[in-house]
Structures are given as structure tokens and as C-alpha cells.
Amino acid sequence: MDPRLTERISRISASQTMAVSEAATNLRERGIRVVDLSAGEPDFPTPENIKEAAVRAIRDNFSKYTAPSGTSELKGAIVERHAADFGSSYDVTEVMANVGAKHSIFNVFSAMIGHGDEVVIPAPYWVTFADVTRYVGGTPVFVDTDERSGFRLTAEMVAGALTPRTRLLVVNSPGNPSGAALDDDEFVRIAGVCRERGVVLMSDECYCHFLYDGRKPFSIASRPEFKDTVVIVGSVSKTYAMTGWRVGWVLGDARLIRGISKLQSHSTSNPTSIAQKAAVEALRGPQDSVPEMLAAYARRRRYVVDRLRAIPGVTCASPGGAFYAYPNVSAAFGRGGIEGSVDFAVRLLEDRKVAIVPGAAFGTRDHIRMSYAASMEDLEQGLDAMEAFMRELGS
Ligand SMILES: Cc1ncc(COP(=O)(O)O)c(C=O)c1O
């Protein structure tokens, strides 16, 4: 075969997290136990009622194609859940189901971004936002947030980054990788700047139910004045511990939904029929698993942040949500042959058998991402190892 790939494939890169995860896999294959704090997914199993719904769907032979954009039942469940949780008012022409939120993002960008369009992405950022922008021919414009203010985006930062070429602003609050959560008022100010400047705001709500310190989940779609300006992306993955089921959604203008539906009808077509039934149960069934998981994450967050802050040379902003800590470990750079966060991650894995993700993968130099979607035992061992590692480096 002719191995030439298209130019658009050369615009995207394999994630820098690959080096660490490949090294972790190699260790595991050699029978060595690795404490894995690199995962971007809940460590909880999918709740029983959701699994049961999927089993029922299989038994009932719910195994044919559905409408490419998802069943009416699922679309109804998505808009109802969103209305109940946030007070939004979408109808079924303004929603579609996708194969996970990653697919939703791919679809939205494919439908909205063309050559010459700029997409403003707050840094640190989840790497898919940048690579998908490049893939569809757009230009990512990164806005650095400040660690001292908890990596929170402000309306002033957004205003300073917009140009006549800006098509889209990405907001992911609470966010991956830093856990930063916008204040509701600031979110509204940011949406106001976007509306004024004719820019679409895409809000990735994948972690929206995991907010700490008693804060209530917020969606910018709860404010009717922004309905024309906002596209919402969400998924069952994190909220209901369903990462492998692959169901996500887009809520937005009916014209956008029609455009994406066309695209999806020629690519994946519908999300798996059985997973759609499971997602309906997740959205319409009992919601108790969500606060239970949140309470566990809250306990772990306190433990992780306190322990990180107690390590000499490490600083850590308090994550307002999600399940990640994003400590600054730059005090270790220039010591023991460690030049940056990738070296740090590789050495922590090789020397101490702890897997984390280097901040270089998320667009900042000085940090690492540590997931606390892990057992307390793993967190304790991981943090003991990190403390010993930093002590050994003398940072
Ligand atoms: C910010 C963000 N958005 C979207 C996703 C993807 O979610 P899904 O599993 O629904 O594709 C992730 C997964 O890590 C994420 O961190």
C-alpha cells in the first residue's frame, strides 16, 4: 500500500501523554505494579440500575440501527435532565446524541470551524480541543490563565484574545486538567463578551456535576439571553461512571444540530443502541450515585491537595471541581537530569512506579496532572512516592 497520509493528519499529534502511558503498560506487562494516577475516568463501576437497563435492552433485541442522531427517547431524556438540573429549555430539534462528548466536540468543530477561523482555548487545556481545531483547519489561540488565581478564566482575558477571525471560545468548567471552576457571574460576563463580539461559546459540561465546597452545578444555557450564542456539549461518561459506554450530546441551535446530524449519518451513525437505553436510565433514573461519587471525590481532593502542599517545593491551586489536582513541580526541574514535566513523569514512573500526566500535554510547563479518581490506598501510596521522589531530588 502507498503509506502517504493526508496533510490534515499531519496537523495533529499523538498526545504527549503517550510516552508515559506506554512506559506504564510496559511495566505492567513485566508484572510490575504501577500506581496509576493518570486516568481521566471515574474509578467507580457504572450504577446497577444503568447496567440492568442495558441488559434489558439486549434481551428485548433493541439491537437495530436507530435514528443517526439518537432515539427520540434519549433526546427527550437529555433535554429533560438538562432542564431539571439547570433550568434550560431546549426541545428535541435542538439536541442530538453522539458517541461520547469527544465525538460531540469533533462534530461541532467539523460543522463550525473552517480554514482561517480561530478557536480561543484557555490554557491549561484538554488537548483534544487544540488538535481537533487543527484537524478541521482552524487555528487554536491559547489564553494563559494564572495559577495564583486557580487557573480561572476571566472576561478580560477573553476580550483580549478575540479577533475578527474568532469563531469559537471553548469553556470547560470545571475543567480538565486543573479542576478550575468559573464563578457563575464570571461565566455570564464571558458569555456577554462572546455575544457582543459575535463569537460562539462552546461549553464542555462533562464535569459539571462535580463541584466542591457546596457549589451548585451551573450551565450557561440556564440564561435564555445566551441561547443563540451557546453550544453545550455533555456526556454520561464522568457523571454516571460510563466512560466506556460512549454516549454524549450536543445542545444548540437547530441548524447546527441538522448540520451535525448530516455528518454523523455518514460517519458513526447512531451511538450504540444498547448504550442509548443505558443512558436513558442514567438520565431518567435515580440520581443518588452522583452525590455519592462527589462525596468520595471531595474527601480525596482534600487529602491530595493537603499532601501535595505539604511537600517542599510543590504548590497546588485548589481545584474547584472535576477530579484532578494540577500541582506545580518546577522546583524539581534542573535537578537529577529532570528538565521538564515529561522527564518528571517518566522518572516518577521508572523510579517510583507512579503514573501521572505531564503538564506539557496540557499546554503548561511547570505542572503535572494527578487524578484522584483512584482509591485512597493508591492515593496514599502515590503521594508517599512523590514525596520521597521530591526529597531525593532535594528540591
Ligand atoms: C474536558 C473533557 N471533555 C470531554 C471528554 C470526553 O468525554 P467522553 O468520554 O464523553 O468522550 C473528556 C475526557 O477526558 C474531557 O476531559
Side-chain angles (χ1 to χ4, degrees):
M1 119 186 184
D2 177 352
R4 266 178 314 169
L5 302 176
T6 59
E7 181 271 328
R8 63 180 176 271
I9 289 293
S10 69
R11 286 184 227 137
I12 55 178
S13 5
S15 151
Q16 293 198 50
T17 60
M18 292 296 278
V20 182
S21 55
E22 265 171 35
T25 308
N26 286 344
L27 288 174
R28 277 197 210 98
E29 279 171 4
R30 285 166 38 212
I32 298 167
R33 179 172 138 72
V34 173
V35 174
D36 192 353
L37 306 182
S38 70
E41 59 182 340
D43 57 318
F44 299 104
T46 302
E48 284 306 316
N49 61 313
I50 300 174
K51 292 195 275 195
E52 283 305 322
V55 170
R56 259 194 322 274
I58 295 172
R59 294 230 168 85
D60 293 348
N61 295 313
F62 192 71
S63 48
K64 305 268 197 264
Y65 292 132
T66 74
S69 60
T71 60
S72 306
E73 186 188 28
L74 176 55
K75 288 191 272 191
I78 295 166
V79 296
E80 278 166 28
R81 179 85 262 145
H82 208 268
D85 287 345
F86 303 115
S88 61
S89 64
Y90 289 102
D91 75 42
V92 285
T93 62
E94 297 170 316
V95 62
M96 74 176 295
N98 316 104
V99 186
K102 201 177 250 191
H103 185 218
S104 314
I105 292 163
F106 187 86
N107 280 341
V108 169
F109 281 44
S110 301
M112 292 191 59
I113 309 299
H115 287 275
D117 289 337
E118 291 178 354
V119 176
V120 173
I121 303 172
Y125 51 83
W126 183 50
V127 71
T128 291
F129 297 133
D131 270 323
V132 174
T133 300
R134 293 189 189 100
Y135 182 75
V136 299
T139 306
V141 174
F142 301 113
V143 183
D144 287 329
T145 57
D146 185 359
E147 181 177 352
R148 284 162 306 179
S149 54
F151 299 104
R152 280 195 293 270
L153 185 69
T154 65
E156 287 68 36
M157 290 174 188
V158 172
L162 302 184
T163 76
R165 289 180 300 283
T166 313
R167 179 84 175 103
L168 199 76
L169 165 73
V170 172
V171 175
N172 172 216
S173 174
N176 180 5
S178 71
L182 279 177
D183 295 335
D184 300 354
D185 290 347
E186 197 60 36
F187 208 147
V188 169
R189 273 193 288 276
I190 290 169
V193 171
C194 287
R195 190 177 53 176
E196 221 175 275
R197 306 277 289 268
V199 168
V200 173
L201 190 166
M202 191 197 78
S203 178
D204 177 335
E205 297 185 345
C206 282
Y207 299 94
C208 65
H209 289 284
F210 300 135
L211 273 178
Y212 303 112
D213 305 322
R215 276 191 59 190
K216 295 272 165 287
F218 171 77
S219 172
I220 193 65
S222 63
R223 306 288 293 251
E225 67 268 37
F226 297 122
K227 193 151 177 213
D228 288 347
T229 326
V230 162
V231 176
I232 302 291
V233 164
S235 115
V236 292
S237 289
K238 322 278 174 173
T239 310
Y240 303 104
M242 292 177 71
T243 44
W245 296 78
R246 312 310 300 136
V247 178
W249 53 80
V250 180
L251 292 158
D253 190 291
R255 285 163 301 180
L256 172 66
I257 299 298
R258 279 200 298 278
I260 297 178
S261 300
K262 264 197 300 188
L263 173 63
Q264 186 157 301
S265 74
H266 295 298
S267 55
T268 58
S269 212
N270 60 274
T272 304
S273 56
I274 292 146
Q276 289 193 62
K277 282 285 187 190
V280 169
E281 174 61 23
L283 296 165
R284 285 197 170 141
Q287 299 294 302
D288 342 358
S289 61
V290 184
E292 280 165 22
M293 286 189 264
L294 175 62
Y297 293 142
R299 281 192 298 276
R300 298 168 186 182
R301 163 193 178 248
R302 201 169 315 120
Y303 175 76
V304 168
V305 172
D306 285 353
R307 286 232 29 207
L308 283 168
R309 287 179 173 169
I311 300 175
V314 175
T315 56
C316 184
S318 182
F323 40 66
Y324 307 110
Y326 201 58
N328 184 320
V329 295
S330 58
F333 300 170
R335 295 166 190 264
I338 292 176
E339 294 309 325
S341 65
V342 175
D343 289 343
F344 186 96
V346 169
R347 283 280 301 282
L348 188 64
L349 182 65
E350 281 172 358
D351 298 2
R352 303 279 169 174
K353 312 295 179 269
V354 176
I356 47 88
V357 184
F362 307 110
T364 69
R365 273 188 57 244
D366 296 339
H367 307 86
I368 56 168
R369 189 192 76 177
M370 193 176 261
S371 165
Y372 47 89
S375 68
M376 278 306 272
E377 191 195 346
D378 276 2
L379 291 173
E380 205 175 314
Q381 280 182 23
L383 285 153
D384 286 349
M386 173 134 160
E387 193 174 334
F389 182 67
M390 290 295 282
R391 199 177 319 112
E392 186 185 279
L393 288 170
S395 39

